[in-house]
Amino acid sequence: MELPKFILGDNTDLPNAIFVIHTEFPMFIINLENDEVEWLEDFDAEDQKELEFETENLIELATAFYDREVSRYDE
């Protein structure tokens, strides 16, 4: 199965939370309500260096994805 790079998620137990799931390396879930990130994999020292460079960019991409999806609902 081919998954999209980002997936929106919600949960009625957390009604104010909006989750964006990143399905490629590095896999994570970000809660856009408070920008909390949960990493879905373990990292070695080499990965840690790559993460430092990519994290801010990935969070910006996740936020842009959410904004795009919401704007499509408004149309």
Side-chain angles (χ1 to χ4, degrees):
M1 170 184 354
E2 185 174 332
L3 295 174
K5 185 174 184 169
F6 293 105
I7 300 171
L8 282 178
D10 66 358
N11 187 299
T12 57
D13 292 333
L14 302 166
N16 295 324
I18 301 166
F19 300 101
V20 175
I21 300 100
H22 183 253
T23 63
E24 298 175 358
F25 182 83
M27 293 188 295
F28 65 87
I29 300 172
I30 182 171
N31 180 347
L32 296 179
E33 177 188 28
N34 58 15
D35 292 335
E36 186 176 336
V37 175
E38 180 71 30
W39 300 103
L40 301 177
E41 51 195 309
D42 296 322
F43 304 105
D44 60 23
E46 191 72 24
D47 293 336
Q48 198 71 28
K49 291 177 186 177
E50 182 179 339
L51 266 181
E52 290 173 12
F53 291 113
E54 288 296 319
T55 299
E56 184 176 338
N57 182 49
L58 289 170
I59 290 171
E60 288 176 10
L61 288 172
T63 303
F65 165 77
Y66 171 75
D67 291 341
R68 186 192 76 182
E69 292 298 300
V70 169
S71 73
R72 289 179 175 176
Y73 285 113
D74 293 338
E75 293 176 356

